[in-house]
Amino acid sequence: VILYKQFSNETKAMTRTVYTADTVIKQTITLDELAEFSKNNPGEHVFFLTDCGTDSTYIIDSILTPLSVEQAERPTPDIIAIDLAASSNITVTRLKNVFGVDTYPAFIKASFDSSKNTLTNTGSITHGNKKPMTVKNLKAWFFNNQLWKGPYVE
């Protein structure tokens, strides 16, 4: 009976744990909603640029989620995901002009000045094939940008 259950062709739906994007991403907006979000929420924010592809899913599930549950209280900052998948007009030039990066997925620390209507990148870390993001370097980036809320142990 046990082997039958193990090798049967029964489909098992993937379930989400409580430690997934639902808990590490505070809110998801589109690129078109960024101006309105920034106007209504001036100040400093951490943005995660994503296209909801496999690299972005990997970063959330395998890097960000383990960091967020590393300590009793979540040490990672509130993160606003910006879904670029729906943006047909996103180019490397626009990424560079708006966020100061030329690739994504990426984390951006930025502040919005409502008096000047400007978003200023004050730090970023990107993921790429030549330089993949790791738990260690994302944690260090959070710490070096004063975003890590808990004790820092390498």
Side-chain angles (χ1 to χ4, degrees):
V1 173
I2 292 173
L3 289 177
Y4 172 77
K5 286 279 191 192
Q6 184 171 349
F7 294 107
S8 71
N9 59 1
E10 177 183 331
T11 303
K12 295 180 182 174
M14 291 180 57
T15 57
R16 299 185 78 156
T17 66
V18 293
Y19 302 114
T20 59
D22 301 332
T23 57
V24 297
I25 301 294
K26 181 179 179 181
Q27 180 179 356
T28 300
I29 61 174
T30 65
L31 185 58
D32 295 335
E33 296 168 330
L34 178 61
E36 186 70 22
F37 173 85
S38 297
K39 187 173 94 174
N40 294 332
N41 302 281
E44 193 169 85
H45 298 283
V46 177
F47 296 108
F48 176 56
L49 303 182
T50 176
D51 61 357
C52 299
T54 55
D55 285 348
S56 296
T57 301
Y58 167 78
I59 288 171
I60 289 172
D61 293 346
S62 301
I63 296 175
L64 187 58
T65 299
L67 279 178
S68 71
V69 297
E70 186 175 280
Q71 298 171 11
E73 287 190 37
R74 192 181 77 156
T76 57
D78 288 337
I79 297 168
I80 307 300
I82 300 177
D83 184 0
L84 301 174
S87 301
S88 59
N89 59 350
I90 193 70
T91 63
V92 173
T93 304
R94 185 162 185 216
L95 269 177
K96 196 76 165 161
N97 290 342
V98 176
F99 300 109
V101 297
D102 54 9
T103 187
Y104 58 88
F107 287 92
I108 311 292
K109 179 183 175 187
S111 62
F112 183 74
D113 184 345
S114 55
S115 66
K116 296 178 184 175
N117 199 29
T118 57
L119 186 71
T120 305
N121 177 341
T122 57
S124 63
I125 182 170
T126 60
H127 171 79
N129 293 335
K130 293 183 182 180
K131 189 176 179 191
M133 193 178 297
T134 65
V135 170
K136 185 177 179 179
N137 65 17
L138 181 59
K139 182 178 180 179
W141 183 81
F142 283 150
F143 182 78
N144 293 334
N145 284 279
Q146 291 78 44
L147 300 168
W148 188 256
K149 298 175 188 172
Y152 183 75
V153 179
E154 281 190 52

